[in-house]
Amino acid sequence: MANRTALQTFGRSGNPMFRGNAFQPDATFGETDSTQRMTLAGAVNKTGILLVLCLVSAGYVWNQFFQSGGSGAVKGLMMLGLLGGLAMAMVTIFKRQWAGLTAPAYALLQGLAMGGISAMFEMQYPGIVIQAVGLTFGTLAMLLLAYKTGLIKPTENFRLMIVAATGGIALLYLVSFVMGFFGSSVGFIHSNGLFGIGFSVFVVAIAALNLVLDFDFIEAGAEQGAPKYMEWYGAFSLMVTLVWLYLEILRLLAKLRSR
Amino acid sequence: MGLNELIFGGMAVLGIVVFMFVGRFRANRSQRDRADRLKWTAVDKGHSAQKKP
């Protein structure tokens, strides 16, 4: 399949948050001044705000989990976080103009789920959460440096590769999820054998490379003077990728520890 | 606080600091000025056409 056709078929982004018309100005954009346009600093600050919100709600669930001594007390909060987070993500994707409200709500709700999941892993493998957090932010910093210095240059082929791999992983997870209802699953995804660990390493790499697309999206948005709300949208897309990367690193570390 | 927390906690803090600082600067010229750069605006032509007067 030629690149052009494939891009038209699968979309032009590795991240579902990035539709091709992401920077399409709204009807009133032409009349706004430069203070109403997206900046790099604005997107970075808003990412910081989302991280703090996520940390606060995750910390609350984490404390509840360890005070009550199990997941029973936080199951409701975790479900609220998972389903509410998914709903907020969908609203943000389809109504970018609302990102200033929906992105913080997404971060708070996602934090509820992250706090519970992290606490479960921590109870089983003490010390694993701080390792996953450290590796996630370490990866973020290293890839940002690699992107800013021009060491990694995202091209259309790069994006096509990430789109295909991300889509494949999502499909595999969906199949495994559906098979779960029938008491079965795609075994190697969850195994701690060499193949299972190799798969996790691959998924971590793809999640990490999605960060490069996020950086390029934000950079391009700031350059092209996208509307101010795109700062929230860019921060939201970074959050989505970071949450995915964190979860995959957590799973990888758990597989390594369980051997 | 153990070595695990020191090393990985430090890595997390350093990562966030680097992100908050470096993220504010524009990318290197070699990253920005190249022909094969991703086009985030090339898109939904129907939508663009609707916007035209």
Side-chain angles (χ1 to χ4, degrees):
Chain A
M1 185 183 292
N3 281 353
R4 194 177 181 80
T5 316
L7 281 169
Q8 282 162 355
T9 307
F10 301 118
R12 304 185 72 86
S13 166
N15 190 320
M17 261 48 68
F18 301 156
R19 296 195 309 228
N21 60 344
F23 301 132
Q24 200 74 50
D26 58 27
T28 58
F29 179 55
E31 297 157 16
T32 55
D33 59 49
S34 61
T35 59
Q36 291 304 305
R37 295 187 185 183
M38 182 179 185
T39 62
L40 285 177
V44 167
N45 290 341
K46 286 168 176 72
T47 307
I49 292 170
L50 295 188
L51 284 172
V52 169
L53 289 174
C54 187
L55 192 68
V56 167
S57 57
Y60 174 75
V61 176
W62 174 281
N63 279 335
Q64 291 288 313
F65 183 96
F66 285 107
Q67 277 171 10
S68 63
S71 63
V74 297
K75 253 183 188 160
L77 284 173
M78 283 174 65
M79 284 311 288
L80 173 71
L82 282 173
L83 298 176
L86 183 67
M88 281 301 124
M90 289 296 137
V91 173
T92 312
I93 290 166
F94 292 107
K95 278 286 175 191
R96 297 190 302 262
Q97 295 87 341
W98 297 356
L101 289 173
T102 54
Y106 166 82
L108 275 172
L109 288 163
Q110 205 62 40
L112 297 178
M114 290 300 106
I117 293 168
S118 302
M120 284 179 190
F121 274 94
E122 183 71 15
M123 197 154 83
Q124 204 171 353
Y125 307 107
I128 196 172
V129 167
I130 190 69
Q131 291 175 348
V133 170
L135 289 171
T136 302
F137 286 113
T139 305
L140 173 75
M142 293 314 291
L143 280 173
L144 181 66
L145 285 171
Y147 173 78
K148 292 283 184 185
T149 55
L151 206 63
I152 295 180
K153 293 189 172 79
T155 61
E156 290 293 349
N157 283 338
F158 174 87
R159 180 158 56 177
L160 183 63
M161 185 191 77
I162 301 298
V163 168
T166 306
I169 291 163
L171 192 66
L172 198 57
Y173 279 167
L174 185 69
V175 168
S176 177
F177 180 71
V178 172
M179 284 172 75
F181 289 116
F182 302 100
S184 182
S185 75
V186 183
F188 69 88
I189 292 182
H190 310 293
S191 85
N192 63 355
L194 272 184
F195 199 72
I197 289 171
F199 174 75
S200 269
V201 169
F202 172 73
V203 176
V204 166
I206 294 300
L209 289 175
N210 264 290
L211 286 173
V212 177
L213 291 180
D214 293 337
F215 299 147
D216 199 62
F217 174 80
I218 292 170
E219 188 89 19
E223 252 176 49
Q224 294 168 25
K228 197 76 175 166
Y229 61 76
M230 291 304 288
E231 289 177 352
W232 281 111
Y233 193 74
F236 160 74
S237 54
L238 253 181
M239 272 299 292
V240 172
T241 309
L242 280 175
V243 165
W244 181 32
L245 179 63
Y246 167 72
L247 285 177
E248 292 301 341
I249 289 177
L250 206 54
R251 275 164 53 88
L252 173 62
L253 292 175
K255 282 180 183 178
L256 291 170
R257 292 271 289 266
S258 69
R259 279 171 71 86
Chain B
M1 188 184 285
L3 206 58
N4 188 45
E5 284 78 11
L6 268 178
I7 292 171
F8 289 100
M11 196 188 281
V13 171
L14 193 65
I16 292 171
V17 169
V18 167
F19 171 74
M20 296 301 285
F21 182 72
V22 178
R24 291 164 198 281
F25 295 99
R26 293 176 74 187
N28 192 304
R29 189 172 289 276
S30 70
Q31 181 71 272
R32 290 182 281 124
D33 303 337
R34 57 194 168 88
D36 59 351
R37 201 173 167 191
L38 284 179
K39 293 174 185 66
W40 293 102
T41 48
V43 207
D44 186 348
K45 288 177 182 166
H47 185 73
S48 307
Q50 280 178 353
K51 295 274 178 192
K52 285 177 187 168

